Amino acid sequence: QWDFPLVKSLYGEHYFDGFIPELIVVGVTWGGVNPNPDSLRARDYTPTNEARLPQSGGADKFLSFMKNELFPFIETNYKADNKNRTLMGCSLGGLFTLYSLFTQPELFSGYAAASPAVGWDKEVLYKYEREFSSKKLASPVRVYMTIGDVERSRPAYEKFVTRILNNNFPPISIKSKILE
């Protein structure tokens, strides 16, 4: 919603200077008259309904939209590689990114979660991580997580990262960085 122009510009600079390969950058936003991105983020990026945000809990519907409508559209109209997709999200989008990894790991080969809301709904993400730990993945997956060093949620983030790094999920490459 807010960062797409920045991502598009950064990609353009790095691509045209030869630092990164050609990519298709897709940003999903909301239409309609006066959409409320905060409310719609809570609706689409959260896996469970939390009483404070009655519209929350629509992550499965959003994943279904991506799988059944967005991906086919992109792959029909553009030269896209369905074996090389990366999902990026920040805050609730980071929660959605990790939830996607744990529940439908075949949809993406890479995941980037910035400041993920790992404390959402009494740390429900741990439940999905436990269920994921018994899955056998057909293809390798890359995961990158990051948070700022002065963010209030840093202790919860570090606890979560320690847990998943200790689980040593094969064939997953996990990297985490605390940003100054």
Side-chain angles (χ1 to χ4, degrees), residues 43-96:
R43 180 194 70 191
D44 291 340
Y45 296 164
T46 56
T48 56
N49 181 266
E50 191 183 71
R52 300 179 297 136
L53 296 167
Q55 74 278 20
S56 60
D60 287 327
K61 286 182 183 177
F62 193 54
L63 277 171
S64 177
F65 157 74
M66 293 172 83
K67 182 178 182 178
N68 299 314
E69 295 180 51
L70 182 62
F71 295 162
F73 175 82
I74 292 168
E75 291 160 8
T76 298
N77 293 288
Y78 300 94
K79 188 179 82 175
D81 178 359
N82 66 2
K83 302 285 186 234
N84 190 13
R85 297 182 192 130
T86 299
L87 177 63
M88 290 177 36
C90 181
S91 189
L92 288 180
L95 168 68
F96 177 75

Side-chain angles (χ1 to χ4, degrees), residues 3-179:
D3 294 332
F4 188 80
L6 173 63
V7 171
K8 181 180 154 213
S9 295
L10 289 170
Y11 162 71
E13 285 182 24
H14 286 81
Y15 172 71
F16 290 111
D17 287 341
F19 293 119
I20 60 175
E22 183 178 27
L23 303 172
I24 298 171
V25 180
V26 178
V28 179
T29 190
W30 303 276
V33 178
N34 297 319
N36 180 339
D38 290 330
S39 174
L40 295 168
R41 284 173 58 84
R43 180 194 70 191
D44 291 340
Y45 296 164
T46 56
T48 56
N49 181 266
E50 191 183 71
R52 300 179 297 136
L53 296 167
Q55 74 278 20
S56 60
D60 287 327
K61 286 182 183 177
F62 193 54
L63 277 171
S64 177
F65 157 74
M66 293 172 83
K67 182 178 182 178
N68 299 314
E69 295 180 51
L70 182 62
F71 295 162
F73 175 82
I74 292 168
E75 291 160 8
T76 298
N77 293 288
Y78 300 94
K79 188 179 82 175
D81 178 359
N82 66 2
K83 302 285 186 234
N84 190 13
R85 297 182 192 130
T86 299
L87 177 63
M88 290 177 36
C90 181
S91 189
L92 288 180
L95 168 68
F96 177 75
T97 298
L98 294 173
Y99 174 74
S100 301
L101 165 67
F102 295 147
T103 61
Q104 296 197 37
E106 72 286 351
L107 290 182
F108 300 93
S109 59
Y111 298 84
S115 303
V118 297
W120 173 262
D121 197 9
K122 301 178 184 98
E123 298 181 329
V124 71
L125 195 58
Y126 284 94
K127 172 187 155 218
Y128 300 110
E129 180 266 340
R130 281 190 303 276
E131 293 167 359
F132 173 76
S133 67
S134 65
K135 292 182 180 179
K136 302 283 187 226
L137 299 182
S139 302
V141 173
R142 299 172 324 276
V143 179
Y144 178 76
M145 296 181 299
T146 187
I147 195 166
D149 67 351
V150 296
E151 291 188 50
R152 287 189 316 259
S153 59
R154 181 177 170 184
Y157 170 88
E158 289 178 318
K159 175 183 157 192
F160 181 77
V161 167
T162 298
R163 178 180 170 98
I164 65 170
L165 287 174
N166 287 338
N167 277 341
N168 198 19
F169 301 113
I172 297 180
S173 166
I174 301 173
K175 295 196 183 328
S176 170
K177 181 162 178 78
I178 307 294
L179 300 175

